[in-house]
Amino acid sequence: MTMELIKPPLLTSRRQFLLAGASFAAWAYLPRSACAADARDPRLVVIILRGALDGLATVAPIGDPDYAGLHGAIALSADGPHPALVLDAFFALHPSMPEFARMYRDKHAAVVHAVATSYRDRSHFDGRDVLESGFPGPGRVQSGWLNRAVEALPRGEHVAGALAVGPTTPLVLRGTAPTVGWAPVSLPQADDDTAMRLIDLYTHRDPALATVLSQGLQLEKVALGNDMKVKLGGNAAAAMRQVARGAAKLMAADDGPRIAALAFDGWDTHANEGGAVGRLAGLLSGLDGALAEFESGLGSHWRDTVVVVATEFGRTAKINGTEGTDHGTGTVALLAGGAVNGGRVIADWPGLKPANLYQARDLAPTTDLRAVLKGVLADHLGIGDRALAATVFPDSAAVKPMKGLVA
């Protein structure tokens, strides 16, 4: 089943401007009838961290006696000049994420640890394909699980669909659901000549994207002010916050999108990852700020919002010779939002002893990421088990939705 798409006329209010910066974003509209029964108006945001997140550095198992030795110089601890933020008796959060820690204390954030997709071969390209397609293996399809989830929603009132695209649309929201629309694309750090060359290139390769780029360029010229423009020389953390700020403005509107997918690059920390401070700390600070921007920007809608943060796979349990980490397996998924049943680290902890590591090198995954995503889609958006197992995540009947993630 597909939803009918109507393209609204081009508009020029500030809230309609999405500035992707170094990130990609896509949007879809949720049928109003999907939330009419209980008067909820749910929002769902999926943030993909491309490059593989070090879950052991993000949510550190400081209670595991083998953790500090494996992570060496970049291991977190509950004391010292930059102490980790203690979540419970076993886990502590990276100190660059105080906003997430506050949400956790308010029971509006949760962590699922030792999680992974079904993919095990550590290729970024294939790992992202599995993460975003929702299929058990790579190269299977050119549509994403979130797009198929939109298609699986009950058909409801006629609501205009839309898509805002950065340089490319995340696979997770590609497909036949309403993914062609009016929302413009900003082209930061590019002059008009560069922008026109991009438009000319995509006119031949992807006419629909060329049209959206052209509209974005036209609307950018008449934008009111520059407060949402990605500044030249800005860092990744600032870009993440700006993208989230613009996304929240769009999603807070009564006629705005209810579902969003964002992808942030740069999480491949092979060298100089850093511990409490350093490269990863800067990235996590940007992610933390992005979550805070969604909370403040969505206002009263935050109570009906779930944000899911996921990555293609984790990183090695032991640091390498350049104080970084290599491609791994198990990692973390983060949940935030007023609709999250939070204040918990959910983990079937495998342990970090050599015999417990996956292939003697990685945090062993004990939770399938699809179970987490299914749980959110079922309890937050009301998608049935059959659609989740056969359509949204094909060939996944054995992976049951995780219950209780949504309050």
Side-chain angles (χ1 to χ4, degrees), residues 235-271:
N235 59 34
M240 282 186 250
R241 292 193 69 131
Q242 284 184 285
V243 170
R245 187 180 307 132
K249 286 184 179 182
L250 283 167
M251 297 185 77
D254 289 340
D255 61 345
R258 279 11 182 208
I259 296 176
L262 287 73
F264 296 138
D265 292 333
W267 298 81
D268 198 11
T269 51
H270 282 288

Side-chain angles (χ1 to χ4, degrees), residues 366-397:
T366 56
T367 297
D368 194 313
L369 179 63
R370 291 172 295 179
V372 180
L373 300 174
K374 282 185 176 184
V376 171
L377 293 173
D379 293 344
H380 191 51
L381 300 185
I383 300 178
D385 287 352
R386 180 176 297 180
L388 289 171
T391 303
V392 181
F393 298 101
D395 304 323
S396 69

Side-chain angles (χ1 to χ4, degrees), residues 48-390:
I48 295 171
L49 307 181
R50 289 176 171 165
L53 173 66
D54 185 349
L56 293 174
T58 305
V59 181
I62 59 174
D64 190 310
D66 296 290
Y67 164 69
L70 287 169
H71 248 44
I74 67 172
L76 302 180
S77 65
D79 51 22
H82 301 283
L85 306 170
V86 174
L87 298 179
D88 58 26
F90 193 85
F91 293 104
L93 182 69
H94 197 284
S96 291
M97 299 193 72
E99 297 291 348
F100 185 86
R102 173 184 54 78
M103 296 175 194
Y104 183 94
R105 292 192 299 270
D106 292 341
K107 301 189 184 306
H108 290 162
V111 178
V112 184
H113 219 314
V115 68
T117 70
S118 57
Y119 179 72
R120 295 289 180 271
D121 291 334
R122 304 187 184 94
S123 159
H124 285 306
F125 180 83
D126 288 342
R128 291 170 191 167
D129 185 82
V130 172
L131 169 64
E132 298 189 39
S133 75
F135 273 70
R140 298 283 296 276
V141 71
Q142 289 302 309
S143 67
W145 63 262
L146 187 55
N147 184 277
R148 296 192 299 274
V150 172
E151 292 183 300
L153 290 166
R155 187 162 188 148
E157 280 182 38
H158 206 56
V159 179
L163 169 70
V165 191
T168 62
T169 313
L171 172 60
V172 70
L173 201 45
R174 289 186 205 161
T176 58
T179 56
V180 177
W182 52 268
V185 177
S186 171
L187 300 172
Q189 303 185 26
D191 56 25
D192 286 355
D193 288 342
T194 302
M196 294 310 297
R197 286 197 296 271
L198 282 171
I199 291 169
D200 181 64
L201 172 66
Y202 281 108
T203 296
H204 304 288
R205 294 187 178 181
D206 191 337
L209 180 56
T211 298
V212 175
L213 287 168
S214 180
Q215 292 172 357
L217 182 62
Q218 294 170 25
L219 287 174
E220 187 173 46
K221 292 179 180 299
V222 297
L224 299 175
N226 295 318
D227 60 308
M228 289 181 62
K229 287 191 176 181
V230 177
K231 305 299 190 297
L232 289 171
N235 59 34
M240 282 186 250
R241 292 193 69 131
Q242 284 184 285
V243 170
R245 187 180 307 132
K249 286 184 179 182
L250 283 167
M251 297 185 77
D254 289 340
D255 61 345
R258 279 11 182 208
I259 296 176
L262 287 73
F264 296 138
D265 292 333
W267 298 81
D268 198 11
T269 51
H270 282 288
N272 302 316
E273 180 177 312
V277 295
R279 179 183 168 194
L280 180 62
L283 290 167
L284 290 174
S285 177
L287 175 63
D288 195 54
L291 295 174
E293 293 288 354
F294 273 112
E295 180 186 33
S296 60
L298 284 170
S300 62
H301 295 299
W302 180 249
R303 68 174 180 265
D304 287 332
T305 296
V306 173
V307 182
V308 180
V309 181
T311 189
E312 64 257 39
F313 44 71
R315 308 196 70 83
T316 48
K318 186 176 182 179
I319 62 171
N320 59 31
T322 59
E323 295 191 355
T325 50
D326 298 318
H327 297 177
T329 308
T331 183
V332 293
L334 306 179
L335 303 175
V340 172
N341 182 14
R344 303 177 293 155
V345 178
I346 303 165
D348 178 8
W349 190 245
L352 295 175
K353 294 186 180 304
N356 299 126
L357 297 177
Y358 178 73
Q359 295 184 348
R361 53 174 279 165
D362 305 336
L363 173 65
T366 56
T367 297
D368 194 313
L369 179 63
R370 291 172 295 179
V372 180
L373 300 174
K374 282 185 176 184
V376 171
L377 293 173
D379 293 344
H380 191 51
L381 300 185
I383 300 178
D385 287 352
R386 180 176 297 180
L388 289 171

